[in-house]
Amino acid sequence: AQKVTQAQTEISVVEKEDVTLDCVYETRDTTYYLFWYKQPPSGELVFLIRRNSFDEQNEISGRYSWNFQKSTSSFNFTITASQVVDSAVYFCALSEAHKAGTALIFGKGTTLSVSS
Amino acid sequence: DVKVTQSSRYLVKRTGEKVFLECVQDMDHENMFWYRQDPGLGLRLIYFSYDVKMKEKGDIPEGYSVSREKKERFSLILESASTNQTSMYLCASSPGGGGATNEKLFFGSGTQLSVL
């Protein structure tokens, strides 16, 4: 069965610190997709990234970067030089994509608080 | 931009009432989903639909039903609301086709339901 674990429930940092949010997943499939979503205080989840299981290249988007390692079943998310606006709940999610009629499974989320 | 609209942001109901949560998307998406979000539990899938009149149970369907009579609208029904159904309910959609769920989800702003 598929599972996503975000071991960090809450993280607090001061502005400009770097922070890494951990995500470990479990799946028996060779084809799957991993996602990160951000939920700001307004409540609406916002898509950040999607990565398929065949692409282990790390990705950088501005202050955000993602490290995908199949060997450790991890898909970690790093924010460089954090800002107050980064305060949100962040969710990692997994989809076993080849199965019709399945849905995205989310981790329990990590609440990030960035103080000024 | 894709818009997923949930009819109410806040809702207060009495135990035993029949409750309808409505969700409408405006981008002709095939897939629609209902999740509930609870502190410490993350997002849990209740039901989803990958076609009109089609529905699939998620991880926690007990006490809920759904209706999808038109492509753009996906309703979540609490047949007899109970206090343990007090939660944030999130609707989402994705383009889909064939039940594919490897796409990003577009979320509504959520409905905070309180059952007294």
Side-chain angles (χ1 to χ4, degrees), chain A residues 9 33 35 37 39 41-47 50 89 91 95-97 99-109, chain B residues 4 9 33 35 37 40-43 45 48 50 56 59 88 90 98-110:
Chain A
T9 306
Y33 286 77
F35 298 77
Y37 283 84
Q39 186 181 38
S42 60
E44 187 172 323
L45 272 82
V46 177
F47 167 84
R50 181 185 75 169
V89 183
F91 292 96
S95 169
E96 293 174 336
K99 291 181 183 174
T102 59
L104 213 53
I105 300 299
F106 287 82
K108 294 182 179 181
Chain B
V4 179
R9 185 72 176 93
F33 307 82
Y35 288 88
Q37 182 179 7
L41 297 178
L43 274 70
L45 181 66
F48 64 102
Y50 53 88
E56 293 281 345
D59 299 319
M88 170 68 81
L90 294 167
T101 54
N102 58 348
E103 308 150 319
K104 71 177 187 180
L105 298 183
F106 295 84
F107 281 87
S109 298

Side-chain angles (χ1 to χ4, degrees), chain B residues 8-88:
Chain B
S8 304
R9 185 72 176 93
Y10 299 96
L11 210 53
V12 179
K13 296 293 182 181
R14 297 287 181 189
T15 303
E17 278 192 72
K18 190 169 186 176
V19 181
F20 293 85
L21 302 183
E22 305 288 348
C23 176
V24 177
Q25 49 93 4
D26 65 0
M27 282 300 291
D28 202 35
H29 283 177
E30 302 285 340
N31 297 337
M32 296 189 74
F33 307 82
W34 276 106
Y35 288 88
R36 67 176 277 178
Q37 182 179 7
D38 301 287
L41 297 178
L43 274 70
R44 293 180 292 166
L45 181 66
I46 305 171
Y47 268 98
F48 64 102
S49 167
Y50 53 88
D51 201 355
V52 175
K53 297 190 185 295
M54 301 297 290
K55 61 184 179 183
E56 293 281 345
K57 292 181 180 179
D59 299 319
I60 52 166
E62 297 77 20
Y64 304 94
S65 62
V66 290
S67 172
R68 193 161 180 207
E69 296 295 320
K70 293 184 178 181
K71 192 174 187 179
E72 67 270 17
R73 185 181 297 271
F74 191 36
S75 303
L76 179 68
I77 304 158
L78 286 65
E79 296 290 343
S80 177
S82 63
T83 54
N84 63 13
Q85 291 178 310
T86 291
S87 186
M88 170 68 81

Side-chain angles (χ1 to χ4, degrees), chain A residues 22-34:
Chain A
D22 297 333
C23 174
V24 173
Y25 62 92
E26 293 177 29
T27 178
R28 293 179 183 173
D29 292 336
T30 57
T31 304
Y32 53 89
Y33 286 77
L34 295 163

